[in-house]
Amino acid sequence: MSEDLIRGAEDAAARVRRAARWYGWFLFGFAAFTVAWDTLVPLATGTAYAIVIALSTMVLIYVAGRWQRNQAVRPHTSNWWMWPWAGLTVVLCGFLGPRLFGDRPLVWLACGVVTAVPVLIEAVLVLRRLR
Amino acid sequence: MTHPRHRLDELIHTPVRFSLMAALAAAEKVEFRLLRDTLEVSDSLLSKHIGVLEEAGYLTVDKGYVGKRPRTWLAITEQGKAAFEGHYATLRTIGQSALRDGVERIES
């Protein structure tokens, strides 16, 4: 009896954890967005290019927010990764980049990848935790 | 009063409520419909169990909208988490002692 109860409860918990895995994929998406943003924005020259980037960013944020709200499970989250992500964004893309990187897309791409590392680590941890 | 069964929480001992608590403990918030489908119960039965657990302070119910669609979110409270973990540990203890007794009986 107690074994059946426990098994049933563990099955239910496992199903909820599986339904919460969207958050890991969401973080992967956010990491990809970080790389794209850090690569494309510094190279923006001209108003049209800047408008396209700004509009696509707004659309992306809207779609991601809507998708997130539609998920049936909100997992336990940890926000530790936001601090290194924000720090790297400010230092690499806001301070060092404009002074050292110039118009070299590959350097900005590398900068984006480095900035996305904390997000990617959290994404992997989330997916491992929610197995 | 030494048998572990005395430590069981009557409020969450029914299979549906125990599984409901386990499901809620696995996340921050879970939507009503997912719980209903996971536990394979009707809306009314799940609502009844939720009412009992909410009254005991084991979970909170949060009603809202996503777009125009109404949604009900449930979350386990700290009190509920402690009750669930205690109940779960007690069930495991009972299961293990039953297993041990069975093995001893076979050996003797």
Side-chain angles (χ1 to χ4, degrees), chain B residues 4-77:
Chain B
R5 75 171 184 281
H6 296 295
R7 294 198 298 270
L8 288 172
D9 188 328
E10 289 299 321
L11 273 175
I12 52 177
H13 193 56
T14 64
V16 173
R17 283 187 215 155
F18 185 60
S19 292
L20 172 59
M21 295 294 279
L24 290 177
E28 198 176 292
K29 279 184 177 185
V30 186
E31 220 244 309
F32 181 91
R33 289 179 310 169
L34 181 89
L35 286 168
R36 179 198 62 199
D37 297 344
T38 299
L39 303 176
E40 295 171 356
V41 291
S42 64
D43 285 13
S44 58
L45 183 65
L46 183 57
S47 298
K48 210 170 133 187
H49 286 303
I50 287 169
V52 173
L53 294 173
E54 189 185 14
E55 206 176 295
Y58 286 179
L59 58 84
T60 57
V61 180
D62 182 18
K63 288 175 192 282
Y65 285 86
V66 175
K68 285 180 181 172
R69 278 179 252 161
R71 292 282 163 94
T72 302
W73 293 92
L74 293 109
I76 195 166
T77 61

Side-chain angles (χ1 to χ4, degrees), chain A residues 10-23 25 73 127 129-131, chain B residues 26 34 38:
Chain A
E10 284 173 347
D11 284 351
R15 283 188 70 171
V16 167
R17 275 198 299 275
R18 276 198 301 276
R21 284 173 69 86
W22 66 267
Y23 182 64
W25 301 115
V73 178
L127 290 177
R129 201 168 57 230
L130 297 175
R131 263 196 296 213
Chain B
L34 181 89
T38 299

Side-chain angles (χ1 to χ4, degrees), chain A residues 81-106:
Chain A
W81 57 271
M82 283 184 187
W83 298 105
W85 173 82
L88 287 166
T89 302
V90 170
V91 173
L92 286 179
C93 306
F95 185 74
L96 290 178
R99 287 165 179 79
L100 304 173
F101 300 164
D103 287 340
R104 286 170 292 176
L106 281 178

Side-chain angles (χ1 to χ4, degrees), chain A residues 37-80:
Chain A
W37 174 271
D38 289 357
T39 309
L40 297 175
V41 170
L43 302 173
T45 46
T47 317
Y49 189 51
I51 289 172
V52 168
I53 287 180
L55 284 178
S56 347
T57 303
M58 281 193 285
V59 169
L60 215 60
I61 290 171
Y62 174 76
V63 171
R66 217 180 147 77
W67 182 70
Q68 194 180 13
R69 278 196 303 277
N70 268 317
Q71 300 305 315
V73 178
R74 294 188 189 158
H76 296 294
T77 55
S78 162
N79 295 332
W80 69 268

